[in-house]
Amino acid sequence: MYLGIIKFVLGVKLLNMKSKVTVTCPSNIALIKYWGKKNTGIQIPQNPSISWSLSDLNAKTTVQYRPGDIRQINFSYDGLVKESFLPKINEFFNRIEEILPWVKNGIFNIDTVNNFPHGTGIASSAAGFGALATALVELENKLNKDTDEYWNKVSEIARLGSGSACRSMYSKPAIWGASEAIHDSSDYYAVELKEPIHPSLQNWKDCVLIIDSGEKKVSSTVGHSLLNGHAYAEARFLQANKNLIELIQVLKNGNVDRFIKIVESEALQLHSMMMSSIPYYMLMRPNTVAVIEEIWNFREATNLPLCFTLDAGANVHLLYNKEVESSIKTFIDTKLLPYCQNATYLCSGIGGKPQIEHHD
Ligand code: DP6
C-alpha cells in the first residue's frame, strides 16, 4: 500500500501533473452551422461555424488521475457507473494520444453531470467534451490559462470528442473553421471573436423550447456523413462561408435585422440539408413549425428583437435581446407553452467559459 502511494506521488510529481480537477463547461448554440466533415482528418469541418456559449446549460466533470502501467477509464454520470458511455470515451482517448501522450497510461476516474434534466433532447456532448478536454489540459499543468495557446489546445482536444464541443471554450462568439474573415481561425480549434460586439447584440438570451425530448432518429455523426455526395453540399458550404463573413460584420455593426435573417436562414438550411439527404429524414416536428410561425407572427406584430435557431433536433432555440425579456416571457407562457412537451423550456444567458476547481 505504501509503495503504491509513493509510486503515485512520484509519478504525478515527475510529470508535474495535478491529480484531480473539476470543470464546469457551458454548452453552445451555433449561429452559423457546422454540418459536414472533410475526409482529410478527424472532425475537420467542411465550413466555418460560429456559436454563442450558453452560460446556464452546462456539464460539470471531475477527473481524477493516477499513474498506472495501462490505461483504465471508469466513467460515471452523477455517481452512477455508465458503461454504455465507455466506447465513445475510449475512442476519444485514442484520438487525443497524439496531443496528450501521457493519457496512454493511467487510471482515469471520470464523473460528469449536466445541470439540465435528462430527456430534454438538448445535446450534452458539447458541454461534456468541453469539460473533459479542459480537465485533461488542466491536469497536465503545462500551459498558462491566460494564453490563447492553452484554450486552443483545450478546443482542439474537445473537437476530437465532438466537433461542436470545440466552440464551448469562449465567453465571446467562437469561430471554428478556417475563414478569410478571421486571421487566426483554424479547422483544428475554435478561436474567439476578439473585436468588440455591438451593444445591440451583446446581451441576448436563449430559451430552448422543448418540443420533443426523445432520442434523435438520425445521429449528428450520421447526418454529417450524408453530406458526402449530397447534391446541394457545395452550394451549402459556400452559403455558410458567406453567411459567416456577413454575420461577423453584423455582430460588430449591430444590424439586428440582418442578424435575424442570417440566423434563421442558417437553421432552415441545416434542416433542408437533412431533408434533401439520401436517405432523407426530418427532425422537425409539427410543433417545431408551429412555434416558428408563432415567432414570425409575434415579430411582425411587435417588431421586437427575437428570432429562432435550431440544432440537429426538434427543439426551438428562441434568441432575444434581454432588454425585452418580460415581453418574451409573456409570449412564451401565453403562446408557445402549449407546443412544448410537458410545458418545458430552459433559458440561458449567452457567454460563459469553462470554470476550473482544483482539489490538490
Ligand atoms: C447541428 O458536433 O454533434 O449542432 O462532430 O459528429 O460530434 P460530431 O457532431 P456534432 O454536430 C452538431 C452540429 C450542429 C450544428 C453546430 O453545432 O454547428
Side-chain angles (χ1 to χ4, degrees), residues 43 64 80 139 184 201 204 221 263 294 319-320 359:
Q43 322 276 54
Q64 185 163 23
L80 293 175
L139 284 172
D184 56 349
L201 287 164
W204 281 50
T221 305
V263 168
E294 291 284 359
L319 304 173
Y320 58 90
H359 300 274

Side-chain angles (χ1 to χ4, degrees), residues 30 33-35 37 43 162-164 167 220-221 224 270 311-312:
K33 308 294 179 182
Y34 147 57
W35 201 238
K37 304 180 193 191
Q43 322 276 54
S162 178
S164 54
R167 297 183 312 232
S220 285
T221 305
H224 284 287
L270 168 70
D311 237 328

Side-chain angles (χ1 to χ4, degrees), residues 190-237:
V191 296
E192 69 182 342
L193 184 62
K194 298 223 166 57
E195 286 117 310
I197 308 295
H198 192 276
S200 62
L201 287 164
Q202 244 174 37
N203 202 11
W204 281 50
K205 287 195 75 168
D206 180 0
C207 286
V208 192
L209 303 152
I210 309 301
I211 306 295
D212 188 347
S213 58
E215 186 88 356
K216 280 187 282 195
K217 288 196 183 63
V218 179
S219 74
S220 285
T221 305
V222 171
H224 284 287
S225 71
L226 295 177
L227 279 255
N228 295 324
H230 191 298
Y232 307 145
E234 288 312 317
R236 161 62 198 152
F237 304 145

Side-chain angles (χ1 to χ4, degrees), residues 33-313:
K33 308 294 179 182
Y34 147 57
W35 201 238
K37 304 180 193 191
K38 287 186 183 148
N39 294 323
T40 50
I42 301 168
Q43 322 276 54
I44 300 297
Q46 282 278 13
N47 62 263
S49 57
I50 185 167
S51 64
W52 272 342
S53 289
L54 300 177
S55 51
D56 301 302
L57 298 175
N58 53 53
K60 186 172 186 176
T61 302
T62 299
V63 183
Q64 185 163 23
Y65 166 76
R66 279 186 285 139
D69 298 332
I70 54 155
R71 182 163 75 217
Q72 186 194 323
I73 299 173
N74 303 311
F75 184 83
S76 57
Y77 182 89
D78 202 13
L80 293 175
V81 173
K82 284 270 181 224
E83 291 199 353
S84 59
F85 284 56
L86 279 178
K88 197 154 188 199
I89 307 255
N90 271 311
E91 191 188 347
F92 168 68
F93 271 74
N94 291 339
R95 286 178 179 181
I96 66 174
E97 277 177 7
E98 217 171 285
I99 309 173
L100 299 177
W102 60 271
V103 305
K104 282 185 190 148
N105 310 310
I107 299 158
F108 295 84
N109 291 320
I110 305 171
D111 182 70
T112 192
V113 64
N114 298 328
N115 74 341
F116 46 91
H118 257 325
T120 49
I122 297 185
S124 53
S125 60
F129 278 111
L132 183 53
T134 312
L136 293 173
V137 172
E138 193 57 21
L139 284 172
E140 189 184 50
N141 196 23
K142 262 192 188 160
L143 297 172
N144 176 347
K145 273 193 285 299
D146 298 330
T147 59
D148 284 347
E149 202 188 351
Y150 180 98
W151 292 107
N152 293 350
K153 185 169 183 174
V154 169
S155 177
E156 183 168 6
I157 292 166
R159 186 197 99 236
L160 294 169
S162 178
S164 54
C166 78
R167 297 183 312 232
S168 276
M169 274 71 250
Y170 307 106
S171 310
K172 294 188 177 164
I175 298 135
W176 169 41
S179 164
E180 62 187 66
I182 298 290
H183 76 93
D184 56 349
S185 58
S186 165
D187 281 347
Y188 297 97
Y189 49 80
V191 296
E192 69 182 342
L193 184 62
K194 298 223 166 57
E195 286 117 310
I197 308 295
H198 192 276
S200 62
L201 287 164
Q202 244 174 37
N203 202 11
W204 281 50
K205 287 195 75 168
D206 180 0
C207 286
V208 192
L209 303 152
I210 309 301
I211 306 295
D212 188 347
S213 58
E215 186 88 356
K216 280 187 282 195
K217 288 196 183 63
V218 179
S219 74
S220 285
T221 305
V222 171
H224 284 287
S225 71
L226 295 177
L227 279 255
N228 295 324
H230 191 298
Y232 307 145
E234 288 312 317
R236 161 62 198 152
F237 304 145
L238 275 175
Q239 278 286 305
N241 273 283
K242 212 171 126 266
N243 283 342
L244 180 99
I245 292 170
E246 191 184 352
L247 194 80
I248 288 171
Q249 287 311 319
V250 162
L251 287 168
K252 294 189 278 186
N253 68 25
N255 185 338
V256 175
D257 288 343
R258 284 305 299 157
F259 176 84
I260 289 170
K261 292 285 174 291
I262 298 168
V263 168
E264 291 191 345
S265 168
E266 276 289 316
L268 295 178
Q269 282 187 34
L270 168 70
H271 282 256
S272 57
M273 293 308 283
M274 296 172 190
M275 289 186 237
S276 50
S277 292
I278 296 175
Y280 49 80
Y281 64 106
M282 195 189 285
L283 297 182
M284 285 200 249
R285 308 297 307 139
N287 282 353
T288 311
V289 178
V291 164
I292 290 173
E293 287 187 334
E294 291 284 359
I295 291 171
W296 284 342
N297 292 339
F298 181 72
R299 192 168 66 225
E300 200 170 306
T302 61
N303 218 8
L304 291 177
L306 77 156
C307 64
F308 74 87
T309 188
L310 304 165
D311 237 328

Side-chain angles (χ1 to χ4, degrees), residues 13-24:
K13 280 265 179 282
L14 274 176
L15 291 164
N16 188 29
M17 294 204 23
K18 298 183 175 162
S19 60
K20 187 174 175 186
V21 66
T22 298
V23 177
T24 306

